[in-house]
Amino acid sequence: MGSMPAPLRSDAWYAGQDRNSYIHRAWMRRGAPDSAFEGRPQIAIANTASDLTPCNMHLTEVARSVANGIWEAGGVPLELPVVSLGETQVRPTAMLWRNMAAMAIEEMIRANPIDGVVLLGGCDKTIPSLLMGAASVDLPALVVPGGPMLTGTFRGVPLGCGTDVWRLSEEVRAGTLSNRDFQASQSAMIRSKGHCNTMGTASTMGLLAEVLGTTLPGTAGLPAPDSRLAAQAHESGRLAVEMVREGRRPSQIITKASFHNAIVALGALGGSTNAVVHLLAIAGRLGVPLTLDEIDRAGHGIPLLVDLQPAGRHLMEDFHRAGGLTAVLREISDLLDLDALTVTGRPLGEYLSDATIHDTEVIRPRSDPMMADAGIAVLRGDLAPDGAIIKPAAATAALLQHRGRAVVFDSVEDLHHRIDDPALDVDADSVLVLRGCGPRGYPGMPEVANLPLPRKLLQQGVRDMVRVCDGRMSGTAYGTVVLHVAPEGAAGGPLAKVRDGDPIVLDVEGRRIDVDVPAAEFAAREPAPAMVAALARPTRGWEKLYVDTVRGAETGADLDFLVGGSGDRVARDSH
Ligand code: FES
């Protein structure tokens, strides 16, 4: 065991011979050796394992490997169960609870006698909430992503979690697949422990955690059942002790350069649009200035190199076999800031020299990208003065410049009620508009922006249309979807004033989304009464706090009083 800087933060609980230190030691002893309280780093393992978060159920096994590494390096591991969010189970949407999870994680890290923390996450909101909370405390911290599940196949065909649910369910609605066959595919969809195996939000955020510098390089993307994940988890435990010893904190690692790298990587990976709100929120916690315009600039001209669903064909197991994250980063190394630090204290660039692409069908070389310019595009215009985004890699190229008349839905319920109505006045060129689904309006900004196409158009063979929404879409989804429109309808954004038949003009190359209605006429309109009537009006509890204080999507949809950090100091002892 190496020498530790004195005092450790945890000494404020354990050192000394007074009554309080007696209490702190005595209640924590429970078989631990005397030396556990004598200058050994106390490392929390913030664990989002939960039976109600199936993607993270295995993290308790991962925690054991982390704990072994912590003991081995001279620290003391302390498992800390934290708020967990199961993306497919939590209502009304897991995003409503991301900030609550982050706040609880922040407070529990700060309140407890710990010197550093290992963050175990997987399912969509878990890694963002862990990083947001840890950033606001700024104790030494690193992430161990739980990893994707293995590929399941149905009748010989690989199934991508999420993406194939959307695809197959639309086939049922189009009448080209029986509901019996659709239901039969269910048991093949989730083959093993781990999170969704597409390049959805969980995969994206695990990989971006590594690009940000917050994981032991070489960890993100390891499939959940892979024994190499256990080995990396063990090493991560050792590293956490070293980070405490050397005082290496998130604020030294997650910098402007890290965010630049994450945005570039997001484009090359074809990652989830959800990464935009999560990166903005994490940056806000650290006081790193990051804007939508910078995301557009850094993401401009980034080639898409990864042929994974939803933008392509393959799945995360293939991605790992093909060389994984470091192979992609090496291809775009000229676009990265290679000096950005990682949790090891070494720069990101040091970990790329041995990286190799093993399968160019899955990870394309720079000379043969899937798409030349694939970064997230940020749009502005009459409909989105504060910004909106689109993922061109998941869109239909022919629709990226489009003009069509609006067909407007005032709520998710209105959408479900009318979308399949044979009398709905809609054609393939129409632009479907869904509003009242922003952070404040729903509340929680649900993943509904990839609204289903009208059945009658599906039956005519239509498979994509331009859609515009102030909500989010699943990272596993695809389509020509303009989302995160800000200000949201509930905050008085222009989306609230659009009417059926208004011409909507999308120009992705020009970065515009406009409504072609005379400005004076549009300005004179009131927000649609049906949308206003459908908005959430919580009167108590978290939902009220959330609706009263949530910021817009363009800044990451954090609560206004959670932006920034409070450090690790606790002003008063536990009396
Ligand atoms: Fe958990 Fe997809 S539902 S990652």
Side-chain angles (χ1 to χ4, degrees), residues 55 87-88 123-124 195-196 202:
C55 306
E87 189 67 27
T88 52
C123 197
D124 292 17
H195 60 65
C196 289

Side-chain angles (χ1 to χ4, degrees), residues 371-395:
M371 182 184 271
D373 182 2
I376 301 283
V378 175
L379 313 175
R380 289 184 193 274
D382 302 341
L383 276 187
D386 290 344
I389 65 173
I390 186 169
K391 181 178 174 180

Side-chain angles (χ1 to χ4, degrees), residues 549-562:
T549 62
V550 71
R551 307 206 311 166
E554 74 281 7
T555 58
D558 204 353
L559 302 193
D560 56 14
F561 64 90
L562 291 177

